[in-house]
Amino acid sequence: MPDPNKKSSSLMRVAVGGSAVLVIAGLGAFWYASNKAKQAAPQDDANTVTVTIQDNVCKPNDITVPAGRTTFRIVNNSDRALEWEILDGIMVVEERENIAPGFTQTMKVKLRPGDYDITCGLLSNPRGKLHVTPSAESEAEGNNPSALNFLGAQAEYKFYLISQSSQLADAVGELQAAIQAGQLQQAQALYAPAHLLYKRIEPMADNFADLETRINGRADYFAKREADPEFRGFHRLEYGLFGQGQGDLKALQPVANTLAADVDTLKTRLAALETQPERLASSAARLLRRTADNLPNGGEEGWSHAEAADLQGTLDGTKKLANLVLPMLTKPAPDLKKSIEDGFAQFAKELEPYRDGDGFKPGALPADARQAITATVSKLADDLAKVNAALKLE
């Protein structure tokens, strides 16, 4: 007669084994479903392309996307803060700066068909290629008749660029003269006001990638940092006036001469620039986004600490662009119009405690002030990025 305990034990082993099979099958099904879900996960209103920066290359460094909206995820797997740009010749289409090591930044951009260059991390790294092919969206788009409403705004902004770039050239000339005369304190006093004028026109000046690098390139983006021979312009002067080697004005004379020549070239280019309607708000949004990215780490002025003056220039220049389009938002997007107006008012209010007559108090901004201004500037960038859609310019 069979032992009932042995039979029960056998049944138990079968049950346990069956349960294990079911668990394994369940886990397998879960893994399969999870991966299918990842593959089928809904995307934003554009394709997403992930670009990884590692060592001196981007992977991939040759990209093809359809015309229209694309989302780029830029992953920094290097050991330095880096930037990633899309260039159309010498013109910057879109960029992300100050991507910290180990971090990712997202960039959404609408691209027309054509071939573009990609800057990958350090400015000395080899450039990549971005190929944008025609799509149904690009083929369906034509000239937007609403662009006729922008003729007055375009003319007014062109006058602003000519006026401000002339003032910039004069200010750089004064700075150059002080350096040539060996007047350290005078040169130090003239640095921040001159750079403020550049910040006012930076929303359009930074479209010229070659001049932006020469005039306003930061040491962090060059392979040898401060010792790199390509490091020049405002921040090379800043380094010599306020940082290491302070007082060696003779060594700064060639830098000041080159800066003056580059600013003259910029002035000529801006006078000939035809700013398209969709670039008014988007250029302001791009500069404010970059400001928000850089400010938590101290902005651009690591040696002079002229952060407040830089921010005033950015406020002036981006507000000028916003004021040209805000009246057109009155009917289609009144809430967006008010949000932008309130944002600029808040931006100005947050700079108020650091003013000193026509300038600003010396020294870096406190960390809590940087944090507050970053939040304000970031929201302004987001709001201005919505303007083109509201005005049907996309």
Side-chain angles (χ1 to χ4, degrees):
M1 182 175 179
D3 186 344
N5 291 329
K6 188 176 291 186
K7 182 177 181 181
S8 175
S9 176
S10 298
L11 290 173
M12 180 65 71
R13 284 197 297 272
V14 171
V16 170
S19 298
V21 170
L22 289 173
V23 169
I24 293 170
L27 289 172
F30 176 76
W31 176 88
Y32 178 79
S34 297
N35 278 274
K36 291 300 287 183
K38 287 179 183 176
Q39 295 171 16
Q43 295 182 337
D44 293 333
D45 59 344
N47 295 324
T48 299
V49 177
T50 298
V51 179
T52 302
I53 304 175
Q54 189 164 358
D55 300 324
N56 295 328
V57 297
C58 284
K59 299 178 181 179
N61 212 27
D62 196 299
I63 303 167
T64 300
V65 298
R69 295 171 181 80
T70 298
T71 299
F72 292 94
R73 292 180 64 254
I74 315 303
V75 182
N76 184 0
N77 277 354
S78 76
D79 60 356
R80 294 177 58 166
L82 299 171
E83 68 176 356
W84 193 81
E85 296 177 319
I86 300 173
L87 303 177
D88 185 2
I90 61 171
M91 304 293 286
V92 177
V93 176
E94 189 55 273
E95 65 183 347
R96 280 293 178 269
E97 277 199 6
N98 204 36
I99 309 172
F103 282 78
T104 298
Q105 286 201 25
T106 301
M107 183 176 83
K108 295 184 180 182
V109 59
K110 185 177 181 182
L111 295 165
R112 294 188 175 95
D115 291 327
Y116 301 83
D117 288 328
I118 303 167
T119 63
C120 176
L122 299 179
L123 295 171
S124 55
N125 288 348
R127 290 184 175 180
K129 291 292 182 182
L130 173 62
H131 312 284
V132 182
T133 58
S135 65
E137 180 181 353
S138 65
E139 295 292 339
E141 290 179 343
N143 294 324
N144 196 316
S146 66
L148 296 174
N149 299 330
F150 287 82
L151 293 177
Q154 290 170 285
E156 183 178 341
Y157 189 60
K158 186 163 193 173
F159 177 80
Y160 178 82
L161 287 178
I162 292 171
S163 170
Q164 294 298 315
S165 59
S166 294
Q167 292 183 47
L168 171 63
D170 291 343
V172 169
E174 292 176 8
L175 178 58
Q176 178 188 19
I179 290 172
Q180 289 174 341
Q183 300 170 337
L184 176 60
Q185 290 186 342
Q186 177 71 355
Q188 288 174 329
L190 291 171
Y191 171 81
H195 197 237
L196 181 153
L197 287 165
Y198 181 78
K199 301 300 284 187
R200 283 181 180 170
I201 60 175
E202 190 175 19
M204 290 302 155
D206 72 358
N207 283 294
F208 301 106
D210 57 338
L211 289 180
E212 164 74 0
T213 297
R214 292 167 62 89
I215 292 173
N216 204 48
R218 295 163 54 195
D220 292 345
Y221 295 142
F222 295 95
K224 297 179 180 179
R225 291 185 167 89
E226 292 84 5
D228 199 296
E230 294 301 313
F231 176 47
R232 61 188 86 186
F234 272 113
H235 294 301
R236 177 62 183 87
L237 291 182
E238 181 203 3
Y239 177 63
L241 291 172
F242 301 93
Q244 185 176 332
Q246 181 184 130
D248 185 7
L249 296 191
K250 187 174 181 180
L252 291 183
Q253 288 180 10
V255 181
N257 295 341
T258 300
L259 175 61
D262 287 338
V263 166
D264 282 339
T265 301
L266 175 62
K267 178 181 172 182
T268 301
R269 287 192 191 177
L270 290 175
L273 182 67
E274 297 298 331
T275 305
Q276 298 303 313
E278 64 271 19
R279 299 291 285 180
L280 296 172
S282 66
S283 295
R286 187 181 69 213
L287 180 57
L288 289 168
R289 174 60 54 207
R290 189 164 76 227
T291 301
D293 290 342
N294 289 333
L295 189 57
N297 297 320
E300 297 180 22
E301 309 294 345
W303 300 289
S304 68
H305 300 300
E307 301 164 6
D310 274 7
L311 289 168
Q312 182 63 54
T314 298
L315 168 61
D316 294 341
T318 55
K319 186 177 180 181
K320 177 63 181 180
L321 283 163
N323 286 343
L324 293 172
V325 298
L326 283 177
M328 303 177 198
L329 292 173
T330 302
K331 288 186 177 180
D335 291 342
L336 179 60
K337 177 176 182 286
K338 186 177 187 307
S339 183
I340 293 171
E341 290 170 338
D342 291 347
F344 278 112
Q346 181 64 24
F347 192 176
K349 181 180 178 182
E350 287 167 350
L351 288 178
E352 200 61 39
Y354 310 100
R355 298 188 190 281
D356 183 13
D358 293 333
F360 290 89
K361 299 172 184 176
L365 293 174
D368 58 343
R370 278 205 201 105
Q371 185 175 2
I373 295 172
T374 296
T376 298
V377 168
S378 183
K379 185 176 186 307
L380 260 177
D382 291 343
D383 284 346
L384 284 163
K386 302 172 184 175
V387 168
N388 283 351
L391 296 177
K392 297 189 178 356
L393 285 174
E394 290 193 340

